[in-house]
PDB file of all heavy atoms in Angstrom:
ATOM      1  N   ALA A 113      80.696 132.325 114.268  1.00  0.00           N
ATOM      2  CA  ALA A 113      79.374 132.821 114.635  1.00  0.00           C
ATOM      3  C   ALA A 113      79.261 133.016 116.153  1.00  0.00           C
ATOM      4  O   ALA A 113      78.688 134.004 116.623  1.00  0.00           O
ATOM      5  CB  ALA A 113      78.301 131.863 114.140  1.00  0.00           C
ATOM      6  N   ASP A 114      79.805 132.071 116.913  1.00  0.00           N
ATOM      7  CA  ASP A 114      79.725 132.169 118.371  1.00  0.00           C
ATOM      8  C   ASP A 114      80.504 133.370 118.908  1.00  0.00           C
ATOM      9  O   ASP A 114      80.113 133.978 119.908  1.00  0.00           O
ATOM     10  CB  ASP A 114      80.254 130.883 119.012  1.00  0.00           C
ATOM     11  CG  ASP A 114      79.351 129.687 118.742  1.00  0.00           C
ATOM     12  OD1 ASP A 114      78.193 129.908 118.349  1.00  0.00           O
ATOM     13  OD2 ASP A 114      79.812 128.534 118.898  1.00  0.00           O
ATOM     14  N   LEU A 115      81.612 133.706 118.248  1.00  0.00           N
ATOM     15  CA  LEU A 115      82.442 134.823 118.703  1.00  0.00           C
ATOM     16  C   LEU A 115      82.068 136.146 118.053  1.00  0.00           C
ATOM     17  O   LEU A 115      82.639 137.191 118.378  1.00  0.00           O
ATOM     18  CB  LEU A 115      83.919 134.522 118.432  1.00  0.00           C
ATOM     19  CG  LEU A 115      84.537 133.348 119.199  1.00  0.00           C
ATOM     20  CD1 LEU A 115      86.003 133.166 118.810  1.00  0.00           C
ATOM     21  CD2 LEU A 115      84.426 133.559 120.706  1.00  0.00           C
ATOM     22  N   GLY A 116      81.108 136.100 117.109  1.00  0.00           N
ATOM     23  CA  GLY A 116      80.692 137.324 116.444  1.00  0.00           C
ATOM     24  C   GLY A 116      81.657 137.812 115.390  1.00  0.00           C
ATOM     25  O   GLY A 116      81.700 139.013 115.074  1.00  0.00           O
ATOM     26  N   TYR A 117      82.441 136.878 114.819  1.00  0.00           N
ATOM     27  CA  TYR A 117      83.397 137.262 113.773  1.00  0.00           C
ATOM     28  C   TYR A 117      82.729 137.095 112.417  1.00  0.00           C
ATOM     29  O   TYR A 117      82.271 136.010 112.066  1.00  0.00           O
ATOM     30  CB  TYR A 117      84.646 136.387 113.860  1.00  0.00           C
ATOM     31  CG  TYR A 117      85.638 136.623 112.745  1.00  0.00           C
ATOM     32  CD1 TYR A 117      86.297 137.839 112.615  1.00  0.00           C
ATOM     33  CD2 TYR A 117      85.918 135.618 111.830  1.00  0.00           C
ATOM     34  CE1 TYR A 117      87.211 138.050 111.597  1.00  0.00           C
ATOM     35  CE2 TYR A 117      86.833 135.812 110.814  1.00  0.00           C
ATOM     36  CZ  TYR A 117      87.474 137.038 110.699  1.00  0.00           C
ATOM     37  OH  TYR A 117      88.371 137.245 109.682  1.00  0.00           O
ATOM     38  N   ASN A 118      82.664 138.155 111.634  1.00  0.00           N
ATOM     39  CA  ASN A 118      81.965 138.118 110.351  1.00  0.00           C
ATOM     40  C   ASN A 118      82.903 138.186 109.149  1.00  0.00           C
ATOM     41  O   ASN A 118      82.456 138.192 108.003  1.00  0.00           O
ATOM     42  CB  ASN A 118      80.976 139.291 110.241  1.00  0.00           C
ATOM     43  CG  ASN A 118      79.899 139.193 111.290  1.00  0.00           C
ATOM     44  OD1 ASN A 118      79.398 138.103 111.567  1.00  0.00           O
ATOM     45  ND2 ASN A 118      79.542 140.331 111.895  1.00  0.00           N
ATOM     46  N   GLY A 119      84.219 138.244 109.386  1.00  0.00           N
ATOM     47  CA  GLY A 119      85.165 138.347 108.282  1.00  0.00           C
ATOM     48  C   GLY A 119      85.487 136.996 107.695  1.00  0.00           C
ATOM     49  O   GLY A 119      84.921 135.960 108.073  1.00  0.00           O
ATOM     50  N   THR A 120      86.390 136.996 106.752  1.00  0.00           N
ATOM     51  CA  THR A 120      86.857 135.756 106.142  1.00  0.00           C
ATOM     52  C   THR A 120      88.344 135.652 106.380  1.00  0.00           C
ATOM     53  O   THR A 120      89.022 136.626 106.683  1.00  0.00           O
ATOM     54  CB  THR A 120      86.588 135.747 104.629  1.00  0.00           C
ATOM     55  OG1 THR A 120      87.229 136.893 104.052  1.00  0.00           O
ATOM     56  CG2 THR A 120      85.108 135.806 104.338  1.00  0.00           C
ATOM     57  N   LYS A 121      88.851 134.459 106.217  1.00  0.00           N
ATOM     58  CA  LYS A 121      90.278 134.250 106.443  1.00  0.00           C
ATOM     59  C   LYS A 121      91.094 135.013 105.423  1.00  0.00           C
ATOM     60  O   LYS A 121      90.858 134.943 104.235  1.00  0.00           O
ATOM     61  CB  LYS A 121      90.613 132.757 106.325  1.00  0.00           C
ATOM     62  CG  LYS A 121      90.093 131.926 107.455  1.00  0.00           C
ATOM     63  CD  LYS A 121      90.515 130.491 107.303  1.00  0.00           C
ATOM     64  CE  LYS A 121      91.991 130.308 107.530  1.00  0.00           C
ATOM     65  NZ  LYS A 121      92.438 128.923 107.472  1.00  0.00           N
ATOM     66  N   SER A 122      92.049 135.740 105.898  1.00  0.00           N
ATOM     67  CA  SER A 122      92.971 136.384 104.980  1.00  0.00           C
ATOM     68  C   SER A 122      94.036 135.382 104.593  1.00  0.00           C
ATOM     69  O   SER A 122      94.297 134.430 105.283  1.00  0.00           O
ATOM     70  CB  SER A 122      93.623 137.598 105.651  1.00  0.00           C
ATOM     71  OG  SER A 122      94.337 137.179 106.796  1.00  0.00           O
ATOM     72  N   GLY A 123      94.647 135.587 103.478  1.00  0.00           N
ATOM     73  CA  GLY A 123      95.679 134.660 103.050  1.00  0.00           C
ATOM     74  C   GLY A 123      95.885 134.750 101.576  1.00  0.00           C
ATOM     75  O   GLY A 123      95.602 135.739 100.936  1.00  0.00           O
ATOM     76  N   GLY A 124      96.382 133.669 101.005  1.00  0.00           N
ATOM     77  CA  GLY A 124      96.668 133.663  99.594  1.00  0.00           C
ATOM     78  C   GLY A 124      97.729 134.689  99.289  1.00  0.00           C
ATOM     79  O   GLY A 124      98.798 134.692  99.867  1.00  0.00           O
ATOM     80  N   CYS A 125      97.426 135.608  98.363  1.00  0.00           N
ATOM     81  CA  CYS A 125      98.400 136.614  97.958  1.00  0.00           C
ATOM     82  C   CYS A 125      98.036 137.982  98.481  1.00  0.00           C
ATOM     83  O   CYS A 125      98.438 139.006  97.930  1.00  0.00           O
ATOM     84  CB  CYS A 125      98.511 136.630  96.433  1.00  0.00           C
ATOM     85  SG  CYS A 125      99.159 135.099  95.775  1.00  0.00           S
ATOM     86  N   GLY A 126      97.189 138.028  99.517  1.00  0.00           N
ATOM     87  CA  GLY A 126      96.815 139.312 100.066  1.00  0.00           C
ATOM     88  C   GLY A 126      98.005 139.994 100.695  1.00  0.00           C
ATOM     89  O   GLY A 126      98.787 139.395 101.401  1.00  0.00           O
ATOM     90  N   ASN A 127      98.136 141.281 100.483  1.00  0.00           N
ATOM     91  CA  ASN A 127      99.255 142.046 101.021  1.00  0.00           C
ATOM     92  C   ASN A 127      98.770 143.173 101.913  1.00  0.00           C
ATOM     93  O   ASN A 127      99.269 144.285 101.873  1.00  0.00           O
ATOM     94  CB  ASN A 127     100.108 142.617  99.872  1.00  0.00           C
ATOM     95  CG  ASN A 127     100.777 141.531  99.069  1.00  0.00           C
ATOM     96  OD1 ASN A 127     101.337 140.612  99.635  1.00  0.00           O
ATOM     97  ND2 ASN A 127     100.728 141.637  97.744  1.00  0.00           N
ATOM     98  N   SER A 128      97.747 142.880 102.673  1.00  0.00           N
ATOM     99  CA  SER A 128      97.196 143.917 103.529  1.00  0.00           C
ATOM    100  C   SER A 128      98.245 144.382 104.531  1.00  0.00           C
ATOM    101  O   SER A 128      98.929 143.585 105.167  1.00  0.00           O
ATOM    102  CB  SER A 128      95.965 143.367 104.279  1.00  0.00           C
ATOM    103  OG  SER A 128      95.503 144.311 105.201  1.00  0.00           O
ATOM    104  N   SER A 129      98.367 145.695 104.649  1.00  0.00           N
ATOM    105  CA  SER A 129      99.362 146.255 105.568  1.00  0.00           C
ATOM    106  C   SER A 129      98.753 146.632 106.913  1.00  0.00           C
ATOM    107  O   SER A 129      99.439 147.159 107.779  1.00  0.00           O
ATOM    108  CB  SER A 129     100.009 147.500 104.939  1.00  0.00           C
ATOM    109  OG  SER A 129      99.013 148.464 104.630  1.00  0.00           O
ATOM    110  N   GLY A 130      97.456 146.369 107.072  1.00  0.00           N
ATOM    111  CA  GLY A 130      96.793 146.710 108.316  1.00  0.00           C
ATOM    112  C   GLY A 130      97.177 145.759 109.423  1.00  0.00           C
ATOM    113  O   GLY A 130      97.772 144.704 109.206  1.00  0.00           O
TER     114      GLY A 130
END
Side-chain angles (χ1 to χ4, degrees):
D114 292 343
L115 295 179
Y117 175 65
N118 297 319
T120 57
K121 289 183 70 177
S122 60
C125 295
N127 295 314
S128 174
S129 58

